[in-house]
């Protein structure tokens, strides 16, 4: 039988395992990317491997998250990253060059390659036909060292596109429709592969919007075929030789097919506080808007900025709206300048923010208290904007622009609109932007002489300790469904500068849910956290595992996990447990003590997940129930060793 695109890329990179959905596989990684908020930990871990140079085809270290330099901390991180890149043979993308996913797509993305990135939106690369996967920094460090990436062979879901986007409907509306149907839990263990005649009408930038926000499905990745549009994208950037065609065989199969008629898509929004809480704009039209922000790795291409400029042309941002734009990359910013798009935006009253993550990660531009903010971003979890009681709606650039002018949510089709084509200008701007803000890897002899700069903000990562065979753990916190990594370890201007300092950042663990968590957990010594469905959705930040680990959390017991967070827990020695019967969740209260025995024997069993059951006794209530260690046999060996670093040191692969 024929293969789909996902299977073709995996087959070409398979090191171990069988390509059967649900089996453990290991794949070779061609490229890696890191960003500054996760990068310091990744390079600190890479340093402990004792290698002279990265072993990938290409590795890039980006600085795009922590660009607010309130004091020396972020700058210390940047300098550490720059010197580590020079020392170990990586490209370094200087702050200002752009958001990692946008900049990587434009400069390094190649169809058919594998990319592992320490950021959950790494699947942006799927827009150009890469198999691009988000992971914790430690997994990326292993890949930089030439190690395989271990994962469960995903189910491949086909998304069949037909028709063409009408009027002011946008790529964002495609992914919002997928989220509406599939939900934020729907994608766990899956790759969404787009196919059908509708694909040809979408530019690579539009495809990348779709694959980027596929992360919100909880999916392992999302991917488009590589076709003429992909070739044009590469050729426009002087990289035509990197193109190759990649499409599913005519008899390829998908586990399931989702059909979307692009011509029937209307502008939509994800309402507060979840990316899958999607409604057509017609149902929420009229809601007064206080803030509009265009940008983030989802919607910050020249196509996006130009669409906004078209809608606001000759008009002014409504007096009740504070509007901002953060272009995705320096090349985009230059193209916007050359094409007159930037001038039109400035004239209309947009505030121009730097080419970085900025407001998406709560780095400035927080909305007013109780305010309504329309953002072209990918996440609207409560409080992520920096304002706890703000209502954030995720929309397309077209919808955001219309609201900026109208001062309320309106259908962008109410405005005269013709989608502009600035391909030629984009080509010129790319040439002008060049590689000036990218520092290329040094030759080995020079690299070996580089001294790594370690300012006082750079603290080594504390080592995990293996779980004992028998534990009695008090429940330090009982949380509900859909706990996000922003709940477990918030970001924002206050916390992000502490990403390289675990003892300090740990004080913010679970602070969104309970400000005193860190004190209580520390006083308890060892503890367990209980949660509901889809625990750990959102970001790849391993700080959401390292922080709790540092505070003595030994296990997390929930109804289900999000993929990347579960892998991060394993890497840092925290045991991920799921209730065999979800009804047992209701029988536990915060403060109860849970006793588990015979943990080591279960961790040592070499068979599948079904073998990994444990009896948990609630010694406070005098009840007992079954929990499952919800990971494959290799991950159980890692847990037995106390985490990925001790496992690798002991020769584990
Ligand atoms: C995010 O969007 O939450 C981030 C910041 O980009 C994260 C990474 C991080 O927490 O550092 C992500 O999505 O992985
Ligand atoms: Fe940056 Fe936001 Fe994209 Fe995360 S989602 S990489 S914070 S722009």
């Amino acid at each position: 039988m024929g293969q789909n695109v996902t299977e073709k890329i995996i087959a070409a990179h398979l090191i171990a395992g069988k390509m059967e959905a649900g089996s453990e596989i290991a794949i070779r990684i061609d490229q890696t990317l890191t960003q500054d908020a996760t990068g310091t930990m990744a390079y600190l871990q890479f340093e402990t491997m004792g290698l002279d140079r990265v072993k990938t085809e290409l590795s890039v270290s980006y600085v795009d998250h922590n660009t607010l330099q309130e004091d020396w901390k972020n700058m210390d991180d940047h300098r550490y990253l720059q010197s580590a890149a020079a020392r170990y043979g990586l490209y370094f993308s200087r702050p200002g060059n752009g958001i990692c996913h946008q900049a990587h797509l434009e400069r390094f993305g190649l169809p058919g390659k594998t990319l592992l990135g320490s950021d959950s939106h790494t699947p942006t690369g799927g827009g150009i036909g890469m198999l691009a996967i988000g992971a914790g920094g430690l997994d990326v460090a292993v890949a930089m060292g030439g190690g395989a990436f271990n994962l469960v062979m995903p189910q491949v879901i086909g998304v069949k596109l037909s028709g063409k986007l009408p009027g002011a409907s946008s790529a964002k509306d495609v992914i919002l429709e997928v989220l509406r149907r599939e939900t934020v839990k729907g994608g766990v263990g899956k790759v969404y592969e787009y196919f059908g005649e509708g694909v040809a009408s979408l530019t690579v930038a539009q495809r990348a919007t779709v694959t980027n926000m596929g992360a919100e499905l909880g999916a392992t990745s999302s991917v488009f075929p590589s076709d003429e549009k992909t070739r044009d994208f590469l050729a426009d950037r002087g990289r035509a030789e990197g193109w190759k065609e990649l499409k599913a065989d005519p008899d390829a199969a998908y586990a399931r097919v989702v059909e979307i008629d692009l011509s029937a898509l209307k502008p939509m929004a994800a309402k507060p506080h979840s990316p899958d809480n999607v409604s057509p704009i017609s149902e929420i039209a009229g809601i007064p808007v206080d803030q509009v922000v265009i940008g983030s790795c989802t919607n910050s291409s020249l196509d996006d900025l130009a669409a906004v400029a078209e809608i606001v042309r000759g008009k002014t941002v409504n007096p009740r709206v504070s509007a901002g734009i953060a272009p995705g990359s320096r090349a985009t910013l230059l193209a916007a300048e050359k094409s007159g798009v930037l001038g039109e935006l400035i004239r209309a009253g947009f505030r121009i923010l730097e080419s970085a993550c900025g407001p998406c990660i709560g780095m400035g531009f927080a909305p007013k208290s109780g305010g309504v903010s329309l953002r072209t971003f990918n996440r609207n979890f409560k409080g992520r904007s920096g304002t706890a009681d703000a209502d954030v709606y995720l929309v397309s650039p077209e919808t955001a622009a219309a609201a900026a002018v109208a001062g309320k949510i309106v259908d962008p089709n109410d405005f005269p609109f013709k989608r502009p084509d600035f391909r030629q200008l984009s080509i010129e701007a790319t040439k002008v932007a060049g590689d000036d803000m990218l520092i290329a890897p040094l030759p080995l002899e020079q690299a070996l002489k580089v001294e790594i700069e370690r300012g006082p903000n750079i603290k080594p990562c504390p080592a995990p300790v293996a779980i004992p065979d028998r534990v009695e753990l008090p429940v330090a916190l009982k949380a509900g469904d859909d706990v996000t990594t922003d709940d477990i370890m918030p970001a924002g201007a206050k916390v992000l500068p502490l990403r390289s300092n675990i003892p300090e950042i740990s004080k913010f663990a679970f602070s969104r849910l309970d400000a005193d968590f860190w004190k209580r957990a520390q006083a308890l010594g060892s503890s367990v956290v209980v949660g509901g469905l889809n625990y750990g959705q959102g970001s790849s930040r391993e700080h959401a595992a390292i922080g709790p680990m540092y505070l003595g959390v030994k296990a997390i017991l929930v109804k289900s996990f999000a993929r990347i967070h579960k892998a991060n827990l394993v890497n840092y020695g925290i045991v991920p447990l799921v209730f065999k019967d979800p009804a047992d969740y209701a029988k536990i209260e915060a403060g109860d003590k849970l006793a588990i025995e015979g943990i080591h024997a279960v961790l040592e069993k070499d068979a599948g997940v079904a073998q990994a059951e444990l009896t948990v006794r609630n010694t406070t209530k005098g009840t007992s129930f079954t929990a499952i260690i919800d990971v494959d046999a290799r991950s159980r060996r890692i847990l037995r060793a106390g985490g990925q670093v001790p496992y690798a040191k002991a020769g584990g692969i």
Side-chain angles (χ1 to χ4, degrees):
M1 198 178 52
Q3 288 182 321
N4 53 46
V5 171
T6 312
E7 287 164 343
K8 286 186 185 183
I9 304 179
I10 293 179
H13 292 85
L14 195 67
I15 294 176
K18 275 211 188 116
M19 287 201 342
E20 285 165 8
S23 324
E24 296 173 38
I25 58 167
I27 57 170
R28 185 168 42 79
I29 296 299
D30 302 322
Q31 301 188 349
T32 63
L33 72 77
T34 57
Q35 37 90 339
D36 48 325
T38 55
T40 48
M41 279 299 138
Y43 298 106
L44 284 167
Q45 302 286 11
F46 183 79
E47 285 190 77
T48 67
M49 294 178 192
L51 297 171
D52 275 336
R53 205 170 173 85
V54 292
K55 294 192 171 162
T56 46
E57 289 175 10
L58 171 97
S59 287
V60 191
S61 173
Y62 292 88
V63 175
D64 54 2
H65 281 62
N66 296 342
T67 52
L68 260 191
Q69 287 153 224
E70 268 193 329
D71 62 17
W72 45 273
K73 293 196 201 68
N74 289 342
M75 208 47 218
D76 272 17
D77 285 5
H78 300 175
R79 279 306 157 96
Y80 166 74
L81 291 168
Q82 182 167 349
S83 57
R87 170 68 187 80
Y88 294 113
L90 291 94
Y91 272 95
F92 181 70
S93 170
R94 301 172 65 186
N97 194 44
I99 304 176
C100 56
H101 308 303
Q102 283 302 321
H104 200 87
L105 184 80
E106 289 169 7
R107 177 63 181 82
F108 298 113
L110 287 174
K113 297 280 181 189
T114 51
L115 166 68
L116 195 71
S118 63
D119 190 283
S120 58
H121 290 103
T122 303
T124 311
I128 201 168
M130 305 185 96
L131 185 67
I133 303 179
L138 190 44
D139 286 332
V140 176
V142 169
M144 288 192 290
F149 178 60
N150 293 273
L151 74 164
V152 170
M153 176 68 196
Q155 255 191 349
V156 186
I157 307 296
V159 185
K160 185 172 182 194
L161 302 180
S162 59
K164 267 197 175 135
L165 287 169
S169 293
S170 186
K172 183 61 148 275
D173 300 312
V174 178
I175 187 62
L176 287 175
E177 175 63 9
V178 180
L179 274 154
R180 187 184 71 78
R181 296 200 207 171
E182 300 278 292
T183 81
V184 292
K185 307 176 186 61
V188 179
K190 302 185 176 96
V191 168
Y192 286 77
E193 178 171 322
Y194 291 78
F195 71 105
E197 43 99 6
V199 167
S201 69
L202 300 176
T203 62
V204 168
Q206 289 173 317
R207 296 174 190 182
T209 293
V210 174
T211 56
N212 169 285
M213 208 172 163
E216 273 50 68
L217 296 160
T220 303
S221 194
S222 299
V223 66
F224 272 83
S226 164
D227 57 9
E228 305 285 292
K229 281 263 167 63
T230 323
R231 193 185 52 202
D232 292 348
F233 182 89
L234 284 165
D236 290 355
R237 286 158 183 79
R239 304 200 287 122
E241 77 293 344
W243 182 74
K244 66 170 191 187
E245 191 182 34
L246 201 58
K247 60 176 183 200
D249 293 328
D251 56 343
Y254 295 101
R256 180 161 60 81
V257 172
V258 178
E259 295 202 23
I260 296 188
D261 176 3
L262 297 175
S263 41
L265 284 184
K266 299 260 183 307
M268 283 180 275
K271 296 176 291 182
H273 298 284
S274 179
D276 62 355
N277 190 15
V278 175
S279 278
I281 290 297
S282 55
E283 281 177 21
I284 51 172
I287 295 179
V289 172
D290 304 295
Q291 187 191 62
V292 164
V293 205
I294 319 281
S296 90
C297 54
T298 319
N299 276 117
S300 56
S301 65
L302 183 63
D303 296 10
D304 293 330
L305 268 48
V308 175
E310 262 319 282
I311 289 180
V312 303
R313 190 167 300 283
K315 306 184 180 71
T316 308
V317 169
N318 190 288
R320 63 165 293 135
V321 178
S322 155
I325 288 217
S329 70
R330 182 170 153 270
T332 298
L333 183 55
L334 270 169
E337 189 266 324
K338 282 185 148 289
S339 58
V341 162
L342 186 65
E344 189 52 32
L345 297 172
I346 297 173
R347 190 215 46 77
F350 277 92
R351 290 161 61 183
I352 309 302
L353 311 173
E354 67 175 316
S355 286
C357 298
C360 178
I361 186 73
M363 279 289 192
F365 222 73
K368 71 166 203 166
S369 59
V372 169
S373 177
L374 258 62
R375 303 178 156 214
T376 65
F377 305 172
N378 48 37
R379 289 186 175 145
N380 59 345
F381 304 142
K382 204 170 170 35
R384 181 176 161 98
S385 65
T387 304
D389 60 357
D391 277 346
V392 175
Y393 292 75
L394 306 174
V395 297
S396 68
E398 293 78 358
T399 303
V405 173
K408 57 185 182 189
I409 299 183
V410 285
D411 188 329
N413 287 299
D414 296 351
F415 288 71
F417 177 68
K418 193 175 161 294
R419 201 166 288 287
D421 182 1
F422 285 128
R423 185 169 160 203
Q424 203 45 47
L425 275 165
S426 168
I427 298 173
E428 282 164 32
T430 308
K431 281 193 205 130
V432 177
D435 276 352
D436 293 348
M437 292 293 276
L438 265 181
I439 303 178
L442 289 171
L444 183 63
E445 320 94 79
Q446 279 180 41
L448 289 174
K449 294 190 195 121
V450 171
E451 199 65 51
I452 296 185
E453 268 187 65
R454 263 175 250 275
N457 200 39
I458 307 292
K459 300 262 188 302
C461 182
V465 187
I467 190 162
D469 187 44
R470 181 189 184 285
V471 288
E472 184 160 12
L473 302 171
V475 177
L477 180 80
K478 184 175 177 190
D481 287 346
D482 294 319
V483 168
T484 70
T485 46
D486 282 296
D487 294 327
I488 306 172
M489 185 57 82
K494 192 164 148 208
V495 187
L496 277 172
L498 304 172
R499 282 286 178 95
S500 313
N501 186 340
I502 300 303
E504 277 309 307
I505 205 171
S506 301
K507 295 181 183 162
F508 293 88
F510 295 104
S511 57
R512 288 258 168 86
L513 306 178
D514 175 351
D516 288 332
F517 177 86
W518 75 275
K519 287 188 197 143
R520 194 170 55 255
Q522 238 174 10
L524 289 170
S526 296
S527 61
V528 55
V529 167
V530 174
L533 291 167
N534 200 24
Y535 179 89
Q537 70 160 326
S539 136
S540 69
R541 64 189 70 150
E542 46 191 354
H543 299 78
I546 308 175
M549 169 199 89
Y550 184 76
L551 297 173
V553 175
K554 297 282 177 225
I556 307 275
L557 171 62
V558 297
K559 292 184 191 168
S560 70
F561 284 101
R563 175 187 66 91
I564 307 180
H565 184 60
K566 186 165 75 174
N568 285 336
L569 291 175
V570 170
N571 281 346
Y572 287 94
I574 299 181
V575 181
L577 295 169
V578 293
F579 292 100
K580 186 168 186 193
D581 177 0
D584 288 321
Y585 166 86
K587 299 175 193 154
I588 300 179
E589 279 176 283
D592 286 1
K593 284 200 169 150
L594 304 182
I596 317 176
E597 279 171 29
I599 300 173
H600 289 177
V602 172
L603 289 176
E604 278 154 18
K605 277 190 196 157
D606 217 24
V609 173
Q611 298 280 312
E613 291 189 3
L614 283 165
T615 301
V616 181
R617 280 184 306 115
N618 185 330
T619 54
T620 312
K621 300 248 170 357
T623 54
S624 52
F625 59 91
T626 306
I628 303 165
I629 303 183
D630 181 30
V631 292
D632 57 43
R634 176 176 174 274
S635 301
R636 291 206 296 272
R637 288 198 295 277
I638 295 177
L639 286 168
R640 177 71 183 92
Q644 172 72 255
V645 171
Y647 177 72
K649 283 206 172 120
I653 48 165

